[in-house]
Amino acid sequence: MNLHFKLTFLATLFAAFAANAQYTDVINSNRPGESQSAFSVGQTVFQAESGVFFNKEENAVTTAKANNFGVDLALRYGAFFEQLEFNIEMKYLWDQRTSGLPMQNQRDFKELIVGAKYLIYDPFKNYEEKINILSWKANHKFKWRQFIPAVAVYAGANLNFSSVYFPENESVISPKLMVITQNQFSGGYVLVMNIIADRITSESANYGYVVTFTKGFNEKWSGFLETQGFMSDLNSDYILRTGAAYLLKENIQIDASIGGNFKDDPSFFGGAIGISWRFDKNYKPILIRSGKEDGKDKDKKDKKDKKKRKDEVETIEVEKP
C-alpha cells in the first residue's frame, strides 16, 4: 500500500462516529451509501433495499471506455438475537466496453455475498441519562459519551459462479470481513465507518474503508457525504459520493446519489436511485432494564401495580347504579 492510502486509512480509523437503537420507529436503511450500519434491523424484521445504477469509466492512458448499468439488491433479516442480522448482497451488471476494438457487451453477477453482522458493543445499552428538570443548559451540554462508538463485526462469503467480471482462477468462495463503528451526535449528525478486508484468500484480494457522514434535516429528508478507498494488486482508487434520502412512509424510503473519483486511469462517474422497504409486523419490542431495579424492587412494584388495579375494580363496582 502506498503512503497516501495508509495515512487516509489511519485517519478514517480514528474518525469513526454514530448510533441508534437496534430497532427504530422508522426504517433505517444502509442506502444510499455503500457502508453498513453497526445495528441490525431488529429481531424478526425483514428488510429489502434495491436500486439501479449507471457508471461511466474512461482511461486516458489506454483510451478504453466502459458504460455500466446495473441492479443491486440487499436482503436483511434479524434472527435469534436483537444484535444479529443475516444478509445477502447482490449486484448484476450489464456493460459495454471499447478498447481500440469493436464494442464488447457482457453481463453477469458483479457481486454475490452471503453474510452475518453482530453488534458486540453499544455504549447506550443499559445507560440511563439523567434529566435535570431545573437546568436546560445541563441537559444540552456537550456529552463525551457521543465519542464512544457502537461496534459490530461482519463475516461473509463471496460466491463466484464463473462470473465474467473476475479472473478465470478466482476462488469459488472467498471470505469478506469487516469491522463497523457507529456513533450518533446531537443535531441529527451521524458518521459510520467500515474497515474492510475482501476476498482475502483469492488473487483479487482488496482492503479498504468506507466512511459515511449523514445529516437528518427533518423527519422526512436526510443527506449524506461519503468517501471510499480501496487497494488491491490490480487496482486502487478513492471515490467521493453524495446524495439524499426521503421517507415516504415509516417503512418505505427512496434515495438518489452520485459519485466519482479524481484520477484519469480510469476516471469514474456514476449515479443511482433506489428504494428500501421494511416488514416489521412480527416484531415485538424488547424491554431492557436499566440495571438499577433489582429483584426486590421489581416485586414491590408488581405488588403495588396489582393492588392499584384491584382498588380500581372495587371503585367501579361501588359506583354502579
Side-chain angles (χ1 to χ4, degrees):
M1 296 184 183
N2 60 37
L3 180 60
H4 180 233
F5 185 87
K6 289 180 179 179
L7 291 175
T8 306
F9 190 86
L10 291 174
T12 53
L13 176 63
F14 292 102
F17 297 102
N20 273 300
Q22 293 291 94
Y23 176 84
T24 53
D25 291 335
V26 299
I27 187 171
N28 193 352
S29 175
N30 288 328
R31 295 189 62 90
E34 291 292 326
S35 63
Q36 284 198 36
S37 68
F39 295 90
S40 77
V41 290
Q43 191 174 349
T44 72
V45 176
F46 172 78
Q47 190 161 306
E49 305 169 6
S50 185
V52 294
F53 60 88
F54 174 81
N55 301 326
K56 185 176 183 179
E57 300 178 22
E58 293 185 13
N59 195 314
V61 178
T62 64
T63 69
K65 297 181 180 180
N67 293 321
N68 308 318
F69 174 79
V71 177
D72 58 56
L73 173 65
L75 303 177
R76 306 169 60 188
Y77 184 73
F80 303 119
F81 308 101
E82 188 74 359
Q83 301 93 331
L84 180 62
E85 173 186 307
F86 295 94
N87 51 57
I88 301 174
E89 299 175 89
M90 296 174 278
K91 285 186 179 180
Y92 195 86
L93 191 66
W94 293 265
D95 68 10
Q96 294 180 333
R97 296 181 176 270
T98 58
S99 182
L101 298 172
M103 184 177 295
Q104 297 178 337
N105 296 321
Q106 57 185 14
R107 59 183 181 180
D108 212 331
F109 279 98
K110 178 69 173 178
E111 180 177 280
L112 181 56
I113 307 173
V114 178
K117 176 176 64 179
Y118 186 80
L119 179 74
I120 59 176
Y121 178 70
D122 179 359
F124 290 95
K125 184 177 181 180
N126 296 329
Y127 171 75
E128 183 177 347
E129 186 173 334
K130 295 181 180 179
I131 304 299
N132 189 331
I133 61 175
L134 302 177
S135 174
W136 182 93
K137 183 177 181 180
N139 293 326
H140 292 81
K141 69 180 181 180
F142 183 83
K143 299 176 179 62
W144 285 103
R145 179 172 286 271
Q146 296 177 106
F147 282 97
I148 304 174
V151 180
V153 291
Y154 169 92
N158 290 279
L159 305 180
N160 172 37
F161 301 105
S162 301
S163 172
V164 298
Y165 295 107
F166 297 104
E168 293 182 0
N169 57 350
E170 176 73 7
S171 303
V172 176
I173 300 177
S174 57
K176 178 178 180 178
L177 303 176
M178 186 159 46
V179 175
I180 305 168
T181 61
Q182 183 173 332
N183 308 57
Q184 181 172 319
F185 293 86
S186 58
Y189 293 97
V190 174
L191 189 64
V192 176
M193 184 179 70
N194 297 174
I195 302 175
I196 307 165
D198 198 10
R199 302 183 180 277
I200 54 180
T201 60
S202 71
E203 294 185 3
S204 58
N206 67 82
Y207 304 87
Y209 66 87
V210 185
V211 178
T212 308
F213 180 77
T214 304
K215 163 64 176 173
F217 301 114
N218 52 45
E219 294 181 354
K220 295 290 185 179
W221 284 99
S222 63
F224 85 102
L225 284 173
E226 180 175 270
T227 178
Q228 179 179 12
F230 59 87
M231 172 167 280
S232 69
D233 292 337
L234 302 176
N235 188 26
S236 63
D237 209 344
Y238 306 88
I239 299 172
L240 183 66
R241 298 185 185 88
T242 187
Y246 180 77
L247 191 68
L248 283 177
K249 296 182 178 180
E250 288 187 349
N251 285 3
I252 302 177
Q253 172 191 287
I254 57 175
D255 62 79
S257 62
I258 57 173
N261 64 358
F262 300 94
K263 66 177 189 176
D264 57 9
D265 58 341
S267 64
F268 168 87
F269 180 80
I273 57 174
I275 186 170
S276 302
W277 170 76
R278 179 178 73 175
F279 179 81
D280 59 354
K281 299 300 183 184
N282 297 324
Y283 181 77
K284 296 180 180 179
I286 296 176
L287 177 63
I288 300 177
R289 292 173 57 194
S290 66
K292 296 182 178 180
E293 183 181 290
D294 61 20
K296 293 181 179 179
D297 291 337
K298 186 176 184 298
D299 291 339
K300 290 179 181 178
K301 184 176 183 298
D302 291 341
K303 290 179 180 178
K304 184 177 181 181
D305 291 341
K306 186 181 293 184
K307 184 177 184 303
K308 182 179 179 182
R309 288 194 296 269
K310 183 179 179 180
D311 292 342
E312 289 175 350
V313 171
E314 291 176 351
T315 301
I316 292 172
E317 291 177 348
V318 170
E319 291 178 351
K320 284 182 178 180

